Amino acid sequence: MTVLLVRHGRSTSNTAGVLAGRSDGVDLDDKGLAQAAELIERVADLPLRELVCSPLLRCRRTVEPLAAALQLAP
């Protein structure tokens, strides 16, 4: 079994220079949304069978495009 760890895309707190930690409501900025969309192509050749995601908004928003493309629920 291979495990692939992916960090969330760039968030609004990253660009503000704020350490978000577990703060609620920290979303991806425009670049972060683009990074999430690019993730689909970056992992296209990998046999992904399951997605596991943190409940943080920025993490969920990072995995949503990939989950939709693979028809997997995170």
Side-chain angles (χ1 to χ4, degrees), residues 14-46:
N14 294 140
T15 54
V18 175
L19 180 60
R22 294 181 186 216
S23 300
D24 287 333
V26 177
D27 204 349
L28 300 181
D29 65 7
D30 290 340
K31 182 164 178 72
L33 292 170
Q35 291 169 332
E38 292 166 4
L39 181 60
I40 298 166
E41 290 181 33
R42 294 186 66 122
V43 300
D45 294 333
L46 300 176

Side-chain angles (χ1 to χ4, degrees), residues 6 11 15-16 26 30 34 42 50-51 57 61-62 64 67 69 71:
V6 177
S11 71
T15 54
V26 177
D30 290 340
R42 294 186 66 122
E50 186 174 353
L51 300 174
L57 176 61
R61 298 269 287 171
T62 298
E64 285 171 351
Q71 298 180 357

